Structures are given as C-alpha cells and as structure tokens.
Amino acid sequence: MPSKRDVWYRAIAVAVVVLAAVVAIVLVGGGDKGGTDAAPAADVGAGPVDREFTITIANRAATPPTSRVEIPVGSTIRITVTSDVADELHVHGYDRKATLAPGVPASVAFRAGTAGLFEVETHVGGLVLMQLVVR
C-alpha cells in the first residue's frame, strides 16, 4: 500500500502534467498559422491592393491549381473566387469569409499583418485553393 507521501507526490505530478498540457494548448494550439482564426487583419474593402488573386472553381477543381503564394507582411491582398457551386470561401488565420453563389464572383480583401502559413479553402467542398505564406 502506498504511503500518504507517495500519494501526495503522485497527485502533484499529475497536476503539473495537466497544467503543462493546458499551457501548451493555449500557447501552441491557439495559433497554428495554418488553420486558426486568431490573427488580426484590417479590412481594405474595395480600395487598392498590393496583390490580387483570381480563382475559378469548376467540377471540384481550382484554376489556377493549388499553390503556395508568398507575400510580405503588411501587404494588402484581394482574393476573388468564382465557383460553379454554392460554398463558402475562408481564409484561415485571418478569419475572412465570403459566400460563394454559383457563377457569382466573391472577394475578401485584407492587410496580411501576421507572418505564417495560411490556407485559403472552401468550407463545404473542402477544396484548398492556395496556401498563403506571409513573411
């Protein structure tokens, strides 16, 4: 039978492990730069942008094909997507969304103020349209 001291040490060890796991989840899991919505972004609306991307979706395929695109931190970008089916455009990390209606272009425009790797995808179809690398 373990002594009270052994039980006490085990309880402390378990508490330390749980606390470390919570801290790791908050610090690491809360900002994965590839799929979270925690990064701040300023809307740029219909104004001028540094880079513009136009993507067409037809038969579950993106044109141009999925690729990595690099832009400098602080750049303003606009992503315009036209889909042949209803869906939702989403820029992970910047929490920018647009409703996609069949045949109607939809855009998101923002200042990319946080460095990292961010996926641009459709939510319903799960189609990755591009990977945005902000450096």
Side-chain angles (χ1 to χ4, degrees), residues 13-40:
V14 168
V16 168
V17 168
V18 169
L19 180 60
V22 169
V23 169
I25 289 168
V26 170
L27 294 179
V28 177
D32 73 76
K33 301 294 188 232
T36 70
D37 300 324

Side-chain angles (χ1 to χ4, degrees), residues 25-58:
I25 289 168
V26 170
L27 294 179
V28 177
D32 73 76
K33 301 294 188 232
T36 70
D37 300 324
D43 281 318
V44 296
V49 294
D50 298 318
R51 294 280 304 270
E52 189 152 3
F53 304 96
T54 302
I55 301 168
T56 302
I57 301 170

